Structures are given as structure tokens and as C-alpha cells.
Short mmCIF file of all heavy atoms in Angstrom, two decimals:
data_model
loop_
_atom_site.label_atom_id
_atom_site.label_comp_id
_atom_site.label_asym_id
_atom_site.label_seq_id
_atom_site.Cartn_x
_atom_site.Cartn_y
_atom_site.Cartn_z
N MET A 1 -16.85 25.40 19.23
CA MET A 1 -18.24 25.37 18.76
C MET A 1 -19.05 24.57 19.77
O MET A 1 -18.78 23.33 19.94
CB MET A 1 -18.27 24.83 17.40
CG MET A 1 -19.57 25.05 16.66
SD MET A 1 -19.41 24.86 14.86
CE MET A 1 -20.06 23.29 14.62
N THR A 2 -20.03 25.14 20.29
CA THR A 2 -20.91 24.27 21.32
C THR A 2 -22.34 24.28 20.72
O THR A 2 -22.86 25.32 20.47
CB THR A 2 -20.79 25.07 22.60
OG1 THR A 2 -19.52 25.19 23.08
CG2 THR A 2 -21.64 24.22 23.67
N VAL A 3 -22.92 23.07 20.74
CA VAL A 3 -24.31 22.89 20.37
C VAL A 3 -24.97 22.65 21.64
O VAL A 3 -24.91 21.62 22.19
CB VAL A 3 -24.48 21.81 19.38
CG1 VAL A 3 -26.00 21.81 18.95
CG2 VAL A 3 -23.67 22.10 18.03
N LYS A 4 -25.67 23.64 22.15
CA LYS A 4 -26.26 23.60 23.45
C LYS A 4 -27.50 22.51 23.46
O LYS A 4 -27.56 21.78 24.41
CB LYS A 4 -26.89 24.96 23.91
CG LYS A 4 -27.65 24.95 25.22
CD LYS A 4 -28.32 26.30 25.39
CE LYS A 4 -29.07 26.30 26.70
NZ LYS A 4 -30.42 26.89 26.74
N ALA A 5 -28.03 22.37 22.31
CA ALA A 5 -29.23 21.43 22.20
C ALA A 5 -28.90 20.03 22.48
O ALA A 5 -29.70 19.24 22.81
CB ALA A 5 -29.94 21.66 20.85
N GLU A 6 -27.59 19.72 22.25
CA GLU A 6 -27.13 18.36 22.45
C GLU A 6 -26.89 17.96 23.97
O GLU A 6 -26.80 16.89 24.29
CB GLU A 6 -25.99 18.01 21.57
CG GLU A 6 -26.44 17.87 20.14
CD GLU A 6 -25.18 17.63 19.29
OE1 GLU A 6 -24.15 17.47 19.81
OE2 GLU A 6 -25.45 17.47 17.99
N MET A 7 -26.75 19.03 24.74
CA MET A 7 -26.34 18.69 26.08
C MET A 7 -27.79 18.79 26.99
O MET A 7 -27.82 18.00 27.96
CB MET A 7 -25.41 19.78 26.65
CG MET A 7 -24.17 19.45 26.21
SD MET A 7 -22.90 20.68 26.65
CE MET A 7 -22.91 21.66 25.26
N ASP A 8 -28.60 19.65 26.66
CA ASP A 8 -29.94 19.53 27.36
C ASP A 8 -31.07 19.70 26.24
O ASP A 8 -30.91 20.59 25.38
CB ASP A 8 -30.02 20.55 28.51
CG ASP A 8 -30.07 22.03 27.89
OD1 ASP A 8 -31.27 22.41 27.67
OD2 ASP A 8 -29.07 22.63 27.83
N ALA A 9 -32.03 18.93 26.51
CA ALA A 9 -33.21 18.97 25.52
C ALA A 9 -34.06 20.21 25.85
O ALA A 9 -34.96 20.22 26.50
CB ALA A 9 -33.98 17.64 25.65
N SER A 10 -33.66 21.29 25.38
CA SER A 10 -34.38 22.64 25.67
C SER A 10 -35.60 22.63 24.95
O SER A 10 -35.84 21.97 23.88
CB SER A 10 -33.43 23.84 25.31
OG SER A 10 -33.07 23.80 23.97
N ALA A 11 -36.39 23.44 25.37
CA ALA A 11 -37.83 23.51 24.76
C ALA A 11 -37.94 24.12 23.29
O ALA A 11 -38.87 23.91 22.65
CB ALA A 11 -38.77 24.44 25.64
N ASP A 12 -36.83 24.93 22.92
CA ASP A 12 -36.75 25.35 21.57
C ASP A 12 -36.25 24.46 20.57
O ASP A 12 -36.08 24.73 19.44
CB ASP A 12 -36.10 26.74 21.57
CG ASP A 12 -34.60 26.59 21.96
OD1 ASP A 12 -34.26 25.62 22.54
OD2 ASP A 12 -33.81 27.45 21.49
N GLU A 13 -36.02 23.10 20.99
CA GLU A 13 -35.50 22.13 19.98
C GLU A 13 -36.70 21.22 19.82
O GLU A 13 -37.29 20.77 20.61
CB GLU A 13 -34.30 21.26 20.61
CG GLU A 13 -33.71 20.46 19.56
CD GLU A 13 -32.67 19.57 20.26
OE1 GLU A 13 -32.37 19.65 21.41
OE2 GLU A 13 -32.19 18.65 19.44
N TYR A 14 -36.88 21.11 18.38
CA TYR A 14 -38.02 20.24 18.07
C TYR A 14 -37.82 19.79 16.62
O TYR A 14 -36.98 20.34 15.86
CB TYR A 14 -39.38 20.96 18.08
CG TYR A 14 -39.45 22.35 17.45
CD1 TYR A 14 -39.86 22.34 16.12
CD2 TYR A 14 -39.12 23.42 18.07
CE1 TYR A 14 -39.93 23.57 15.53
CE2 TYR A 14 -39.16 24.71 17.50
CZ TYR A 14 -39.50 24.79 16.17
OH TYR A 14 -39.44 25.99 15.51
N THR A 15 -38.54 18.75 16.17
CA THR A 15 -38.49 18.12 14.91
C THR A 15 -39.26 19.00 13.86
O THR A 15 -40.50 19.23 14.26
CB THR A 15 -38.83 16.70 14.95
OG1 THR A 15 -38.01 16.07 15.84
CG2 THR A 15 -38.66 16.09 13.59
N THR A 16 -38.75 19.30 12.82
CA THR A 16 -39.55 20.04 11.79
C THR A 16 -38.93 19.98 10.50
O THR A 16 -38.18 19.01 10.25
CB THR A 16 -39.36 21.60 12.28
OG1 THR A 16 -40.21 22.51 11.38
CG2 THR A 16 -37.97 22.11 12.30
N TYR A 17 -39.31 20.84 9.51
CA TYR A 17 -38.71 20.82 8.26
C TYR A 17 -37.98 22.10 8.11
O TYR A 17 -38.23 23.17 8.49
CB TYR A 17 -39.87 20.70 7.21
CG TYR A 17 -40.52 19.46 7.16
CD1 TYR A 17 -41.81 19.39 7.81
CD2 TYR A 17 -40.15 18.32 6.61
CE1 TYR A 17 -42.56 18.23 7.72
CE2 TYR A 17 -40.77 17.07 6.59
CZ TYR A 17 -42.04 17.09 7.17
OH TYR A 17 -42.69 15.94 7.21
N ALA A 18 -36.67 21.98 7.54
CA ALA A 18 -35.83 23.05 7.39
C ALA A 18 -36.25 23.91 6.18
O ALA A 18 -36.72 23.39 5.20
CB ALA A 18 -34.47 22.59 7.19
N PRO A 19 -35.97 25.25 6.26
CA PRO A 19 -36.21 26.03 5.02
C PRO A 19 -35.26 25.68 3.93
O PRO A 19 -34.19 25.14 4.25
CB PRO A 19 -36.04 27.48 5.64
CG PRO A 19 -35.37 27.37 6.89
CD PRO A 19 -35.60 25.97 7.44
N SER A 20 -35.45 25.97 2.82
CA SER A 20 -34.59 25.44 1.70
C SER A 20 -33.15 26.28 1.84
O SER A 20 -33.15 27.36 2.29
CB SER A 20 -35.14 25.76 0.40
OG SER A 20 -35.49 27.10 0.20
N GLY A 21 -32.13 25.59 1.40
CA GLY A 21 -30.84 26.25 1.52
C GLY A 21 -30.12 25.96 2.71
O GLY A 21 -28.93 26.27 2.95
N GLU A 22 -30.75 25.23 3.76
CA GLU A 22 -29.97 24.95 4.98
C GLU A 22 -29.00 23.70 4.66
O GLU A 22 -29.43 22.87 3.98
CB GLU A 22 -30.95 24.59 6.08
CG GLU A 22 -31.80 25.90 6.51
CD GLU A 22 -30.96 26.80 7.19
OE1 GLU A 22 -30.01 26.40 7.75
OE2 GLU A 22 -31.38 27.96 7.21
N THR A 23 -28.01 23.69 5.48
CA THR A 23 -27.07 22.59 5.45
C THR A 23 -26.95 22.02 6.75
O THR A 23 -26.77 22.67 7.76
CB THR A 23 -25.67 23.12 4.96
OG1 THR A 23 -25.78 23.73 3.71
CG2 THR A 23 -24.62 21.86 4.90
N CYS A 24 -26.96 20.66 6.83
CA CYS A 24 -26.71 19.93 8.07
C CYS A 24 -25.20 20.06 8.60
O CYS A 24 -24.39 19.49 7.86
CB CYS A 24 -27.22 18.52 7.91
SG CYS A 24 -26.77 17.40 9.28
N PRO A 25 -25.02 20.58 9.69
CA PRO A 25 -23.54 20.67 10.10
C PRO A 25 -22.91 19.36 10.65
O PRO A 25 -21.78 19.22 10.64
CB PRO A 25 -23.72 21.67 11.29
CG PRO A 25 -25.08 21.50 11.89
CD PRO A 25 -25.95 21.17 10.76
N MET A 26 -23.76 18.29 10.73
CA MET A 26 -23.27 16.96 11.14
C MET A 26 -22.58 16.20 9.89
O MET A 26 -21.55 15.69 10.03
CB MET A 26 -24.36 16.12 11.74
CG MET A 26 -25.16 16.75 12.86
SD MET A 26 -24.26 16.95 14.42
CE MET A 26 -24.19 15.14 14.94
N CYS A 27 -23.21 16.30 8.76
CA CYS A 27 -22.81 15.61 7.57
C CYS A 27 -22.33 16.57 6.48
O CYS A 27 -21.90 16.19 5.44
CB CYS A 27 -23.77 14.65 7.05
SG CYS A 27 -25.28 15.40 6.50
N MET A 28 -22.52 17.85 6.75
CA MET A 28 -22.25 18.91 5.77
C MET A 28 -22.87 18.71 4.36
O MET A 28 -22.38 19.20 3.43
CB MET A 28 -20.77 18.91 5.55
CG MET A 28 -19.89 19.14 6.86
SD MET A 28 -20.31 20.67 7.75
CE MET A 28 -19.67 21.97 6.70
N LYS A 29 -24.09 18.16 4.46
CA LYS A 29 -24.84 18.03 3.15
C LYS A 29 -26.03 18.90 3.32
O LYS A 29 -26.65 19.14 4.29
CB LYS A 29 -25.36 16.45 3.05
CG LYS A 29 -24.10 15.67 2.69
CD LYS A 29 -24.61 14.13 2.68
CE LYS A 29 -23.43 13.23 2.40
NZ LYS A 29 -23.85 11.84 2.65
N PRO A 30 -26.45 19.39 2.08
CA PRO A 30 -27.71 20.22 2.03
C PRO A 30 -28.89 19.42 2.44
O PRO A 30 -29.01 18.19 2.22
CB PRO A 30 -27.77 20.64 0.55
CG PRO A 30 -26.58 20.19 -0.17
CD PRO A 30 -25.86 19.18 0.75
N ILE A 31 -29.82 20.14 3.14
CA ILE A 31 -31.04 19.40 3.60
C ILE A 31 -32.05 19.61 2.42
O ILE A 31 -32.35 20.63 2.07
CB ILE A 31 -31.50 20.01 4.87
CG1 ILE A 31 -30.47 19.77 6.03
CG2 ILE A 31 -32.84 19.49 5.38
CD1 ILE A 31 -30.64 20.55 7.29
N LYS A 32 -32.65 18.53 2.19
CA LYS A 32 -33.76 18.43 1.22
C LYS A 32 -35.00 18.97 1.74
O LYS A 32 -35.24 18.91 3.06
CB LYS A 32 -33.97 17.14 0.61
CG LYS A 32 -32.77 16.64 -0.23
CD LYS A 32 -32.90 15.26 -0.63
CE LYS A 32 -31.70 14.57 -1.23
NZ LYS A 32 -31.48 13.20 -0.93
N SER A 33 -35.97 19.55 0.92
CA SER A 33 -37.00 20.33 1.57
C SER A 33 -38.10 19.32 2.26
O SER A 33 -38.76 19.77 3.09
CB SER A 33 -37.83 21.01 0.34
OG SER A 33 -38.17 19.99 -0.65
N LEU A 34 -38.07 18.08 1.86
CA LEU A 34 -39.04 17.18 2.68
C LEU A 34 -38.33 16.24 3.62
O LEU A 34 -38.96 15.29 4.18
CB LEU A 34 -39.82 16.37 1.63
CG LEU A 34 -40.85 17.19 0.73
CD1 LEU A 34 -41.48 16.37 -0.21
CD2 LEU A 34 -41.79 17.85 1.67
N GLU A 35 -37.06 16.54 4.07
CA GLU A 35 -36.41 15.72 5.01
C GLU A 35 -36.77 16.35 6.39
O GLU A 35 -36.68 17.44 6.56
CB GLU A 35 -34.94 15.73 4.78
CG GLU A 35 -34.47 14.86 3.76
CD GLU A 35 -32.89 14.79 3.56
OE1 GLU A 35 -32.33 15.86 3.31
OE2 GLU A 35 -32.25 13.66 3.76
N ARG A 36 -36.95 15.46 7.31
CA ARG A 36 -37.24 15.83 8.64
C ARG A 36 -36.01 16.20 9.39
O ARG A 36 -34.96 15.42 9.21
CB ARG A 36 -38.01 14.88 9.49
CG ARG A 36 -39.49 14.78 9.08
CD ARG A 36 -40.20 13.97 10.21
NE ARG A 36 -39.60 12.70 10.58
CZ ARG A 36 -39.52 12.16 11.75
NH1 ARG A 36 -40.14 12.76 12.82
NH2 ARG A 36 -38.97 10.98 11.96
N VAL A 37 -35.93 17.28 10.01
CA VAL A 37 -34.73 17.77 10.71
C VAL A 37 -35.01 18.06 12.21
O VAL A 37 -36.16 18.28 12.58
CB VAL A 37 -34.08 18.95 10.03
CG1 VAL A 37 -33.61 18.58 8.65
CG2 VAL A 37 -35.09 20.02 9.92
N ARG A 38 -34.04 18.13 12.99
CA ARG A 38 -34.16 18.59 14.32
C ARG A 38 -33.61 20.00 14.42
O ARG A 38 -32.46 20.35 14.02
CB ARG A 38 -33.20 17.69 15.26
CG ARG A 38 -33.57 17.82 16.70
CD ARG A 38 -34.74 17.03 17.08
NE ARG A 38 -34.78 17.06 18.55
CZ ARG A 38 -36.08 16.86 19.18
NH1 ARG A 38 -37.12 16.58 18.38
NH2 ARG A 38 -36.13 16.92 20.46
N ARG A 39 -34.53 20.86 14.96
CA ARG A 39 -34.00 22.35 14.98
C ARG A 39 -33.41 22.49 16.33
O ARG A 39 -33.83 22.01 17.36
CB ARG A 39 -35.29 23.15 14.88
CG ARG A 39 -34.99 24.68 14.97
CD ARG A 39 -36.38 25.46 15.04
NE ARG A 39 -36.23 26.84 14.97
CZ ARG A 39 -35.87 27.54 16.08
NH1 ARG A 39 -35.70 27.00 17.17
NH2 ARG A 39 -35.88 28.87 15.97
N GLY A 40 -32.25 23.35 16.33
CA GLY A 40 -31.58 23.60 17.56
C GLY A 40 -30.87 25.05 17.40
O GLY A 40 -30.95 25.70 16.29
N THR A 41 -30.33 25.47 18.53
CA THR A 41 -29.66 26.80 18.40
C THR A 41 -28.15 26.51 18.76
O THR A 41 -27.74 25.81 19.55
CB THR A 41 -30.20 27.83 19.43
OG1 THR A 41 -30.42 27.18 20.60
CG2 THR A 41 -31.68 28.23 18.88
N LEU A 42 -27.37 27.34 18.05
CA LEU A 42 -25.86 27.26 18.18
C LEU A 42 -25.46 28.51 18.98
O LEU A 42 -25.73 29.66 18.28
CB LEU A 42 -25.29 27.23 16.90
CG LEU A 42 -23.74 27.04 16.89
CD1 LEU A 42 -23.36 25.72 17.52
CD2 LEU A 42 -23.23 26.95 15.39
N GLU A 43 -25.01 28.54 20.11
CA GLU A 43 -24.74 29.78 20.79
C GLU A 43 -23.40 30.16 20.58
O GLU A 43 -22.39 29.44 20.48
CB GLU A 43 -24.82 29.58 22.33
CG GLU A 43 -26.31 29.20 22.76
CD GLU A 43 -26.59 29.52 24.24
OE1 GLU A 43 -25.63 29.90 24.85
OE2 GLU A 43 -27.70 29.23 24.73
N ARG A 44 -23.08 31.50 20.33
CA ARG A 44 -21.95 32.16 19.99
C ARG A 44 -21.71 33.19 21.07
O ARG A 44 -22.52 33.93 21.54
CB ARG A 44 -22.00 32.81 18.59
CG ARG A 44 -22.20 31.95 17.47
CD ARG A 44 -22.25 32.57 16.12
NE ARG A 44 -23.38 33.48 16.00
CZ ARG A 44 -23.59 34.27 14.92
NH1 ARG A 44 -22.71 34.12 13.97
NH2 ARG A 44 -24.64 35.13 14.96
N PRO A 45 -20.38 33.24 21.53
CA PRO A 45 -20.04 34.10 22.61
C PRO A 45 -20.28 35.66 22.35
O PRO A 45 -20.67 36.37 23.12
CB PRO A 45 -18.59 33.91 22.98
CG PRO A 45 -18.04 33.12 21.87
CD PRO A 45 -19.16 32.48 21.10
N SER A 46 -20.22 36.08 21.16
CA SER A 46 -20.12 37.55 20.88
C SER A 46 -21.24 37.90 19.94
O SER A 46 -21.28 39.00 19.31
CB SER A 46 -18.80 37.90 20.15
OG SER A 46 -18.54 37.21 19.10
N ALA A 47 -22.18 37.01 19.67
CA ALA A 47 -23.23 37.29 18.75
C ALA A 47 -24.61 36.48 19.08
O ALA A 47 -24.47 35.65 20.10
CB ALA A 47 -22.87 36.94 17.45
N ALA A 48 -25.48 36.85 18.43
CA ALA A 48 -26.89 36.13 18.81
C ALA A 48 -26.77 34.71 18.35
O ALA A 48 -25.99 34.39 17.49
CB ALA A 48 -27.93 36.95 18.04
N PRO A 49 -27.47 33.79 19.13
CA PRO A 49 -27.50 32.40 18.77
C PRO A 49 -28.00 32.23 17.37
O PRO A 49 -28.89 32.98 16.78
CB PRO A 49 -28.46 31.78 19.70
CG PRO A 49 -28.59 32.73 20.81
CD PRO A 49 -28.28 34.16 20.15
N VAL A 50 -27.50 31.23 16.70
CA VAL A 50 -27.92 30.79 15.38
C VAL A 50 -28.75 29.71 15.39
O VAL A 50 -28.49 28.66 16.08
CB VAL A 50 -26.57 30.53 14.43
CG1 VAL A 50 -26.93 30.43 12.93
CG2 VAL A 50 -25.50 31.63 14.57
N VAL A 51 -29.84 29.72 14.57
CA VAL A 51 -30.71 28.49 14.46
C VAL A 51 -30.00 27.47 13.45
O VAL A 51 -29.56 27.93 12.43
CB VAL A 51 -32.09 28.80 13.92
CG1 VAL A 51 -32.97 27.72 13.71
CG2 VAL A 51 -32.69 29.77 14.92
N ILE A 52 -29.94 26.32 13.81
CA ILE A 52 -29.23 25.26 12.95
C ILE A 52 -30.28 24.09 12.78
O ILE A 52 -31.13 23.87 13.63
CB ILE A 52 -28.02 24.66 13.52
CG1 ILE A 52 -28.13 24.24 15.00
CG2 ILE A 52 -26.88 25.80 13.52
CD1 ILE A 52 -27.01 23.34 15.42
N TYR A 53 -30.25 23.47 11.75
CA TYR A 53 -31.03 22.36 11.44
C TYR A 53 -30.10 21.07 11.15
O TYR A 53 -29.17 21.18 10.37
CB TYR A 53 -31.94 22.58 10.22
CG TYR A 53 -32.82 23.73 10.37
CD1 TYR A 53 -32.50 24.98 9.97
CD2 TYR A 53 -34.05 23.53 11.01
CE1 TYR A 53 -33.34 26.04 10.17
CE2 TYR A 53 -34.93 24.65 11.23
CZ TYR A 53 -34.56 25.92 10.82
OH TYR A 53 -35.35 26.93 10.98
N ARG A 54 -30.42 20.00 11.80
CA ARG A 54 -29.62 18.72 11.55
C ARG A 54 -30.62 17.52 11.27
O ARG A 54 -31.60 17.50 11.84
CB ARG A 54 -28.83 18.45 12.93
CG ARG A 54 -27.72 19.36 13.19
CD ARG A 54 -27.29 19.26 14.60
NE ARG A 54 -28.47 19.66 15.50
CZ ARG A 54 -28.45 19.71 16.79
NH1 ARG A 54 -27.36 19.24 17.34
NH2 ARG A 54 -29.41 20.10 17.50
N HIS A 55 -30.18 16.65 10.38
CA HIS A 55 -30.97 15.56 10.02
C HIS A 55 -31.14 14.75 11.36
O HIS A 55 -30.31 14.49 12.09
CB HIS A 55 -30.18 14.61 9.03
CG HIS A 55 -29.94 15.29 7.80
ND1 HIS A 55 -28.63 15.47 7.31
CD2 HIS A 55 -30.76 15.62 6.70
CE1 HIS A 55 -28.72 16.03 5.98
NE2 HIS A 55 -29.98 16.15 5.64
N VAL A 56 -32.42 14.24 11.36
CA VAL A 56 -32.77 13.26 12.51
C VAL A 56 -31.86 12.16 12.50
O VAL A 56 -31.32 11.66 13.50
CB VAL A 56 -34.25 12.89 12.37
CG1 VAL A 56 -34.54 11.84 13.39
CG2 VAL A 56 -35.15 14.11 12.57
N ALA A 57 -31.51 11.58 11.27
CA ALA A 57 -30.58 10.39 11.21
C ALA A 57 -29.21 10.74 11.63
O ALA A 57 -28.53 9.89 12.32
CB ALA A 57 -30.60 9.89 9.76
N CYS A 58 -28.79 11.91 11.44
CA CYS A 58 -27.41 12.34 11.84
C CYS A 58 -27.43 12.38 13.39
O CYS A 58 -26.39 11.93 14.03
CB CYS A 58 -27.07 13.60 11.21
SG CYS A 58 -26.60 13.60 9.45
N LEU A 59 -28.38 12.81 14.08
CA LEU A 59 -28.36 12.90 15.50
C LEU A 59 -28.37 11.49 16.03
O LEU A 59 -27.66 11.30 17.17
CB LEU A 59 -29.64 13.61 15.98
CG LEU A 59 -29.64 15.18 15.60
CD1 LEU A 59 -31.07 15.64 16.09
CD2 LEU A 59 -28.57 15.78 16.45
N LYS A 60 -29.08 10.54 15.43
CA LYS A 60 -28.98 9.14 15.98
C LYS A 60 -27.61 8.58 15.89
O LYS A 60 -27.19 7.87 16.83
CB LYS A 60 -29.99 8.37 15.11
CG LYS A 60 -31.46 8.63 15.59
CD LYS A 60 -32.48 7.80 14.77
CE LYS A 60 -33.93 8.22 15.15
NZ LYS A 60 -34.78 7.67 14.14
N VAL A 61 -26.96 8.89 14.74
CA VAL A 61 -25.58 8.36 14.69
C VAL A 61 -24.66 8.95 15.76
O VAL A 61 -23.75 8.24 16.24
CB VAL A 61 -25.05 8.68 13.20
CG1 VAL A 61 -23.52 8.42 13.17
CG2 VAL A 61 -25.76 7.94 12.16
N ALA A 62 -24.82 10.15 16.00
CA ALA A 62 -23.82 10.92 16.94
C ALA A 62 -24.14 10.47 18.39
O ALA A 62 -23.26 10.65 19.23
CB ALA A 62 -24.13 12.44 16.88
N ARG A 63 -25.18 9.78 18.74
CA ARG A 63 -25.51 9.44 20.05
C ARG A 63 -25.25 8.01 20.49
O ARG A 63 -25.07 7.30 19.64
CB ARG A 63 -27.00 9.82 20.55
CG ARG A 63 -27.09 11.31 20.78
CD ARG A 63 -28.62 11.66 20.99
NE ARG A 63 -28.61 13.03 21.22
CZ ARG A 63 -29.71 13.78 21.22
NH1 ARG A 63 -30.88 13.19 21.10
NH2 ARG A 63 -29.60 15.08 21.44
ZN1 LIG B 1 -26.93 15.39 8.15
#
């Protein structure tokens, strides 16, 4: 599993609010509607990239 957005700050990554029902893959917790998240894309070898949302706080912990 490769998260491209963590290796280079691509232009399609930005801070936003996630749609309801999204789960943060860093902490595996559901994202609340008013939590700020970092949008990124998860590339898959045999399918289209998936848009993922991660808590801003989770990204700080990981770095
Ligand atoms: Zn999280």
C-alpha cells in the first residue's frame, strides 16, 4: 500500500473537510463532519486511484 501524497506534496493534496462516512486510514476512526482532514490519493496498480482523507493530527504524528 503506497500513499503517494506522503512522498511528494502533489498539487491534488490539500486540507479540506471529508464527506460523511469517510474513515481515516491512519487511526482507523471515522472522520467527523467538521474535522479538518488532508485529502490525498492512494494509487493502486490495477485500478483507478482512490481518494483518501486523513486527520491533520494523524499526519503530524506520522512525520
Ligand atoms: Zn486519523
Side-chain angles (χ1 to χ4, degrees):
M1 192 161 103
T2 305
V3 180
K4 183 187 176 218
E6 288 184 355
M7 282 175 269
D8 70 85
S10 58
D12 64 339
E13 185 185 356
Y14 52 89
T15 302
T16 184
Y17 295 99
S20 63
E22 293 289 336
T23 302
C24 169
M26 309 285 289
C27 64
M28 303 306 289
K29 288 177 186 166
I31 297 167
K32 294 174 191 149
S33 58
L34 290 177
E35 279 184 302
R36 282 197 311 145
V37 292
R38 195 82 175 154
R39 183 189 181 278
T41 50
L42 184 64
E43 295 201 0
R44 296 181 295 177
S46 57
V50 189
V51 175
I52 55 168
Y53 298 93
R54 292 160 293 173
H55 295 119
V56 172
C58 289
L59 288 173
K60 284 178 186 163
V61 169
R63 277 173 183 173

